Amino acid sequence: MATGTDVGASARDGRAPRRTRTAPAEPATVGARIRDLSARPAVRAWVEPIVVFLVIRAIGIAMLARFAQLRETTLGDSLGLWDGQWMIAIAEYGYRHVPFTQTDARGLHTPDTAYAFFPGYPMLVGAVAKLPLITPYGAAITVNVVLGCVAAVGAARIGAICARMMADRSPIGPADPRRTGLLLAALFAATPMSVVLNMAYTEALFCALAAWALVGVLERRWLLAGICALLAGASRPTAVVVIGVVMLAAILARRDGWRAWAAVAISPLGYLGYLAVVWAHTGSPTGWFRIQTEGWGTEFDMGRATFDFVNDALVHSGEVAPVATAWIIIATLGMLMVAVWSRMPWPVLLYGVLVVASIVLSSGLMMSRARLLLPAFVLLIPLAMAMARWRRGVAIATLVPIVMGSAWFGAHMLTVYPHAM
């Protein structure tokens, strides 16, 4: 930098004075600038999927509200139907004092019936309902709005991780991780029965825990994976899939040290703990399975019931709901084959395969299959990667009919078809 003496000397020599440059203003501290730059991607990774999820779910809820109005019911009643009534009743009264108006699929209520429902979600709802001015129903809906956002962020993280891992080995080709993650969050919010994410059901909780358990596995954060698997096991029987994937991945990564072994040890505790509670209540180690089979007719039948349903619906049914459900099952099996072909990371692929197998190879209410298959959202990763390679306008134009179709289907199933869940 030239000083006053330099400028004067230049003038006396007949030379043009050298111009000085003013240094740009520095932040208060170098640490502040580093924190600012590092915070932006983390905040963005949470905010963007949440905004996408909430916008798509708002469209679905608006559609449901209109259907409810036309069907002379209410939005509130629609969001608390069927199993939602069980969840709210358990949260409010506990397992032993659920009103006898709550019955199983046979129309019966026994001292054991309520124990078919795992405690994670109703316990969380009951805890939130203890806050001032919050009813059990309000707590159930509010909790699932928050959990749905957490699940969407987890889905976006899985999509981004998989896009990076599959860039060099997948026949789909490289795709932008951020766009892939956002598109997976959007597709997750727009699955055919994504309306259940806003109902008093366990799907939002289970999907959030399953997503973050998979994030833990992919990022080798074993305590995160183990804790999520433990909590999932206390929330839903399908959690055996999450538990199995986490335990297998942790065993294979045993060289990561005590954290991997801790994940192996704690993952099954939630699931086994609740089965032990039901054992103590019923006096039978298979008590929960008996309640589920007797009350709701659910048992492992190697897919016979699903096969018969799909054939009957496509050949004999004249109603939208059974035909659409049959095609959702077929499409899910197709996406499963595409997922194998696309060389998804094995923990994510194994999770998707086992979720589909646990639903398709068991009996029970077939019309609930679209809802039960929702946790297999990871099978949408190849589609998200493909869409991430498209121009933005094309991707958005593709999402619009998917979102509107999901909104219509969910509203139809809750207000028109009588036995959808």
Side-chain angles (χ1 to χ4, degrees):
M1 178 183 292
T3 64
T5 304
D6 295 327
V7 173
S10 298
R12 285 193 300 270
D13 295 339
R15 293 175 293 162
R18 288 177 290 175
R19 296 184 180 273
T20 62
R21 294 184 180 180
T22 303
E26 294 288 339
T29 65
V30 175
R33 180 169 60 180
I34 294 174
R35 285 193 298 271
D36 179 64
L37 292 175
S38 62
R40 290 176 191 172
V43 171
R44 191 176 185 180
W46 279 83
V47 171
E48 289 180 339
I50 289 174
V51 170
V52 168
F53 176 81
L54 290 177
V55 168
I56 293 175
R57 292 308 323 130
I59 294 170
I61 294 303
M63 183 79 75
L64 176 59
R66 179 56 176 161
F67 267 61
Q69 181 184 34
L70 295 173
R71 299 289 296 181
E72 298 183 351
T73 183
T74 67
L75 175 63
D77 288 342
S78 299
L79 295 178
L81 288 171
W82 299 302
D83 287 0
Q85 296 175 352
W86 275 102
M87 296 297 174
I88 294 171
I90 294 171
E92 187 171 5
Y93 302 107
Y95 280 91
R96 295 179 182 272
H97 303 290
V98 171
F100 280 87
T101 53
Q102 295 300 121
T103 62
D104 60 21
R106 304 168 299 171
L108 301 178
H109 182 111
T110 74
D112 299 339
T113 307
Y115 286 86
F117 300 94
F118 276 54
Y121 178 65
M123 286 180 63
L124 179 58
V125 170
V128 174
K130 288 182 171 61
L131 297 175
L133 305 178
I134 298 184
T135 65
Y137 174 83
I141 301 304
T142 302
V143 162
N144 274 357
V145 171
V146 175
L147 291 172
C149 292
V150 174
V153 175
R157 179 79 70 90
I158 293 172
I161 295 171
C162 288
R164 285 192 289 268
M165 295 178 69
M166 297 165 64
D168 297 328
R169 70 186 188 193
S170 174
I172 298 174
D176 179 73
R178 174 178 159 272
R179 290 190 66 186
T180 300
L182 285 177
L183 285 166
L184 183 61
L187 293 170
F188 166 69
T191 50
M193 277 303 292
S194 56
V195 66
V196 75
L197 296 169
N198 297 108
M199 299 177 67
Y201 270 66
T202 62
E203 268 70 16
L205 175 60
F206 179 74
C207 288
L209 292 171
W212 284 98
L214 290 175
V215 170
V217 169
L218 294 173
E219 296 184 349
R220 305 176 82 91
R221 296 163 61 185
W222 298 114
L223 293 182
L224 172 64
I227 292 170
C228 287
L230 182 154
L231 295 175
S235 305
R236 190 184 175 101
T238 319
V240 294
V241 170
V242 180
I243 295 166
V245 170
V246 170
M247 291 182 68
L248 177 59
I251 290 171
L252 294 177
R254 57 190 176 276
R255 292 183 179 178
D256 284 356
W258 68 269
R259 288 181 175 82
W261 289 114
V264 174
I266 67 176
S267 290
L269 295 183
Y271 180 75
L272 296 178
Y274 185 62
L275 293 186
V277 168
V278 182
W279 180 357
H281 172 76
T282 62
S284 169
T286 59
W288 181 85
F289 300 95
R290 175 183 59 78
I291 296 169
Q292 185 71 15
T293 300
E294 292 179 356
W296 281 268
T298 301
E299 57 185 348
F300 191 76
D301 69 348
M302 293 298 295
R304 170 54 60 182
T306 302
F307 182 81
D308 291 342
F309 167 76
V310 170
N311 279 271
D312 183 70
L314 296 182
V315 175
H316 299 296
S317 179
E319 295 182 288
V320 170
V323 174
T325 301
W327 278 113
I328 289 170
I329 294 171
I330 294 171
T332 301
L333 296 175
M335 290 190 297
L336 190 60
M337 291 186 285
V338 172
V340 174
W341 167 79
S342 67
R343 301 179 184 177
M344 284 170 50
W346 75 262
V348 180
L349 178 60
L350 180 60
Y351 165 80
V353 169
L354 293 178
V355 169
V356 173
S358 68
I359 304 306
V360 173
L361 300 181
S362 62
S363 61
L365 181 62
M366 286 294 119
M367 295 308 301
S368 67
R369 301 297 132 165
R371 168 179 71 87
L372 295 174
L373 288 169
L374 173 60
F377 65 89
V378 295
L379 300 180
L380 295 166
I381 290 173
L383 175 59
M385 288 182 63
M387 292 177 67
R389 294 166 58 87
W390 302 347
R391 292 193 301 272
R392 179 177 299 180
V394 175
I396 293 174
T398 304
L399 277 176
V400 169
I402 294 175
V403 171
M404 297 307 296
S406 165
W408 173 85
F409 184 71
H412 179 88
M413 294 293 272
L414 295 190
T415 62
V416 179
Y417 195 78
H419 307 293
M421 303 288 279

